[in-house]
């Protein structure tokens, strides 16, 4: 294991917030620029979607490995290394001259994000102790995470419309510089003991299994959920993940210790964030299409329409941080989940002859506030009772659940909308499809609320008492005592 030297919590929080904003921003900022990218680089229509999908594939596929690597090799090392890799990939992508160059750059961006995201969350949970300080830090992390996703649509539209699509990639470079300087100055340095071991079979199985699931889900747009290609891909992914679980149950150095999910906080938070991400990401996707294809808004205007939602998320996060600093996250997750269900359910009443003020603004404010109530508490719950040396592992699992939930949600509800719409491209038909899919998104948040109410415990513990943790703690104390003896 490793020991941390003293860091500067405020500066560390700045580094994490800036980096997380960039990761969230990059998941959305490219979407609006796709038509301009296709025209400039000559993408084939069937290949253009991989500019988005390959990022999701490498990001989701390597998150578990990235989380474990934080525990083995040090959080600051993974954090700063991932930032540098992300910046270099963004630079290459911004100057790409061929389609394969941009796709390769996006793949490296996803790989780098898989190191940055769990390292960022693990840095917060090890820098700030459980209680008000951690909740406040997670509140900042949650606010910039949500704002990055929503603002990404706005930034992508503005950069594409008034500058050039290449800036949706190049904009990451100055952000990387700011985050890296803050990380070096504020994140505690890690000293590795030299006994780190990587669970290679587990890493290969987990990465391959999650990667195949992501590929299978994103390709449903072309092959359908019930096609042979989808069945084979998803089946292969499920088999690899089953083998991964079998390996993890037997190895002495697991990529993810299965006993971690015996902690009801960890298990409940991961299920909650999977469902919530499926509902949130799909709602973003569907509303963007509704505003552009039904209401006739431009890309820039549709992006600007997400600003009230982002501001409402920030308000909800502030309220959750101030009210729930000394309380269990359970109440905030239940209340926030119910309010988000109501907000997204309100979206289901959109109309073909509607408007932003009548159909979008009110639900955005209510749903955004409810989502803001959930973000920091669910991140806190996912790390509650987790030993410090497993913080990266827990963060990797949490981020994996969120990323996979988003992929599955968007693909599934896009299919629901398309099935209702049929072959028609009339605004009324498109509206009916989006309304039905948004109703399903609200249902996902309703189920998440039930999970929060039934799975999460009433009280929380602050120290992990799992037998494996006790054994590791004894070994570490013995090692340090021996090293301190003359």
């Amino acid at each position: 294991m490793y020991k941390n030297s003293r860091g500067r919590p405020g500066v560390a929080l700045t580094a994490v917030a800036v980096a997380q904003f960039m990761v969230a921003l990059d998941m959305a900022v490219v979407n609006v620029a796709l038509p301009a990218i296709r025209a400039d680089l000559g993408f084939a229509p069937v290949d253009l979607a991989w500019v988005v999908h390959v990022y999701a594939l490498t990001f989701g596929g390597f998150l578990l490995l990235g989380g474990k690597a934080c525990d083995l090799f040090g959080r600051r090392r993974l954090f700063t290394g991932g930032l540098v890799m992300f910046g270099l990939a963004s630079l290459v992508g911004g100057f790409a001259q061929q389609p394969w160059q941009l796709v390769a750059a996006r793949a490296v961006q996803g790989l780098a994000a898989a190191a940055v995201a769990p390292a960022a969350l693990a840095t917060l949970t090890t820098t700030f102790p459980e209680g008000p300080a951690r909740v406040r830090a997670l509140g900042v992390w949650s606010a910039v995470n949500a704002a990055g996703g929503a603002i990404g649509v706005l930034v992508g539209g503005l950069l594409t419309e008034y500058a050039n699509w290449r800036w949706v990639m190049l904009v990451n470079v100055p952000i990387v510089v700011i985050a890296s300087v803050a990380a070096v100055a504020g994140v505690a340095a890690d000293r590795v003991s030299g006994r780190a071991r990587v669970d290679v079979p587990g890493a290969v199985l987990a990465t391959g299994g999650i990667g195949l699931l992501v590929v299978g889900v994103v390709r449903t747009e072309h092959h359908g959920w019930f096609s042979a290609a989808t069945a084979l891909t998803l089946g292969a992914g499920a088999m690899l993940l089953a083998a991964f679980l079998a390996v993890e149950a037997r190895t002495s150095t697991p990529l993810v210790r299965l006993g971690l999910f015996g902690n009801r906080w960890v298990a409940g938070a991961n299920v909650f964030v999977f469902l919530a991400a499926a509902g949130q990401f799909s709602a973003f996707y569907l509303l963007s299409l509704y505003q552009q294809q039904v209401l006739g808004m431009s890309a820039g205007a549709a992006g600007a329409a997400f600003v009230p939602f982002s501001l409402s998320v920030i308000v909800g996060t502030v309220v959750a941080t101030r009210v729930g600093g000394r309380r269990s996250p359970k109440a905030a997750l239940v209340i926030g989940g119910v309010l988000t269900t109501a907000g997204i359910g309100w979206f289901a009443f959109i109309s073909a002859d509607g408007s932003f003020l009548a159909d979008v603004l009110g639900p955005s404010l209510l749903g955004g506030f409810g989502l803001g109530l959930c973000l920091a508490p669910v991140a806190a719950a996912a790390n509650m009772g987790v030993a410090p040396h497993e913080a990266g592992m827990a963060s990797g699992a949490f981020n994996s659940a969120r990323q996979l939930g988003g992929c599955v949600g968007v693909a599934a509800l896009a299919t629901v909308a398309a099935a209702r719409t049929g072959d028609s491209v009339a605004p009324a038909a498109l509206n009916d499809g989006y309304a039905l899919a948004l109703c399903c998104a609200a249902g996902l948040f309703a189920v998440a609320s039930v999970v929060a109410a039934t799975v999460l415990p009433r009280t929380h513990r602050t120290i992990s008492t799992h037998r494996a943790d006790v054994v590791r703690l004894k070994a570490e104390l013995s090692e340090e005592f021996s090293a301190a003896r003359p």
Side-chain angles (χ1 to χ4, degrees):
M1 303 308 297
Y2 57 86
K3 295 183 283 189
N4 288 342
S5 65
R6 296 186 59 136
R8 300 164 65 187
V11 181
L13 178 57
T14 300
V16 168
V18 172
Q20 190 61 39
F21 177 82
M22 179 189 68
V23 171
L25 179 81
D26 211 67
M27 292 182 66
V29 71
V30 175
N31 292 346
V32 182
L34 289 178
I37 291 173
R38 177 185 175 185
D40 190 20
L41 296 185
F43 268 91
V46 71
D47 296 331
L48 184 63
W50 281 104
V51 176
V52 176
H53 294 336
V54 75
Y55 181 87
L57 174 63
T58 54
F59 185 22
F62 286 92
L63 271 169
L64 288 179
L65 181 58
K68 182 63 176 179
C70 293
D71 296 331
L72 293 178
F73 306 115
R75 311 189 218 304
R76 191 173 79 168
R77 186 173 299 175
L78 264 290
F79 187 63
T80 55
L83 284 173
V84 171
M85 184 187 298
F86 200 102
L88 292 175
S90 299
L91 197 62
V92 171
F95 289 101
Q97 300 299 314
Q98 299 292 331
W100 70 266
Q101 295 171 348
L102 181 59
V103 171
R106 290 286 289 168
V108 176
Q109 278 186 324
L111 180 62
V116 171
L121 185 55
T123 294
L124 291 187
T125 58
T126 54
T127 301
F128 298 91
E130 282 190 13
R134 181 180 293 183
V135 172
R136 285 193 295 269
L138 289 173
V140 174
W141 175 85
S142 302
V144 299
N145 193 23
I151 293 175
V153 182
L154 171 62
V155 171
L158 294 177
L159 288 176
T160 303
E161 191 169 342
Y162 297 107
N164 186 284
W165 71 264
R166 296 181 182 278
W167 281 101
V168 303
M169 299 290 288
L170 297 176
V171 70
N172 294 318
V173 177
I175 300 176
V176 164
V177 172
I178 295 171
S180 298
V181 171
V184 172
V187 178
D190 304 317
R191 189 179 72 198
V192 182
S193 66
R195 297 184 304 165
R197 292 176 55 194
V198 178
D199 174 21
V200 176
V204 172
L205 291 170
T207 301
I210 295 176
L212 284 174
L213 288 183
V214 173
V215 169
V217 168
V218 300
R219 291 177 67 195
T220 56
E221 179 180 351
H222 302 290
H223 296 285
W225 283 95
F226 301 104
S227 68
T230 299
L232 288 173
T233 305
L234 295 180
M239 291 177 61
L240 288 180
L241 289 181
F244 166 72
L245 294 177
V247 168
E248 298 305 280
R250 292 173 173 79
T251 182
S252 59
T253 57
L255 190 67
V256 177
R257 182 173 62 81
L258 301 185
L260 188 68
F261 297 99
N263 179 337
R264 288 172 60 190
W265 285 111
V266 175
N270 276 272
V271 175
F272 183 98
V273 81
F274 178 90
L275 295 167
Q280 175 195 346
F281 291 6
S282 58
F284 276 14
Y285 173 77
L286 295 163
L287 286 173
S288 178
L289 293 177
Y290 167 72
Q291 291 174 129
Q292 295 182 70
Q293 297 185 0
V294 178
L295 298 185
M297 299 169 65
S298 67
F306 281 95
V307 172
F309 179 88
S310 300
L311 295 176
S312 188
V313 169
I314 293 172
V315 172
T317 301
V318 171
V319 171
T321 300
R322 294 192 174 185
V323 174
R326 297 184 181 276
R327 299 181 182 178
S328 167
K330 180 172 183 173
L333 291 177
V334 173
I335 296 172
V338 170
L339 290 178
T340 310
T341 300
I344 297 181
W346 189 355
F347 277 128
F349 293 96
I350 55 176
S351 61
D353 57 352
S355 66
F356 169 75
L357 293 177
D359 294 83
V360 178
L361 181 59
S364 293
L365 296 176
L366 178 60
F369 181 78
L371 183 62
L373 291 180
C374 297
L375 295 177
V378 74
N383 290 274
M384 192 167 288
V386 175
H389 65 270
E390 292 185 334
M393 180 189 297
S395 299
F398 177 79
N399 279 285
S400 293
R402 182 175 183 272
Q403 178 69 11
L404 190 56
C407 288
V408 172
V410 171
L413 296 193
T415 302
V416 169
R420 169 60 68 89
T421 300
D423 296 329
S424 175
V425 294
L430 293 172
N431 182 85
D432 289 345
Y434 299 150
L436 176 61
L438 285 165
C439 186
C440 295
L444 291 171
F445 268 100
V447 176
S449 302
V450 173
V451 170
T454 57
V455 177
L456 298 181
R458 294 181 180 274
T459 58
H460 71 275
R461 54 179 183 156
T462 58
I463 299 175
S464 177
T465 56
H466 192 277
R467 182 179 178 184
D469 296 336
V470 176
V471 171
R472 289 189 184 94
L473 182 58
K474 286 181 178 180
E476 291 171 18
L477 290 175
S478 176
E479 178 186 349
E480 294 204 14
F481 177 76
S482 299
R485 294 177 61 183

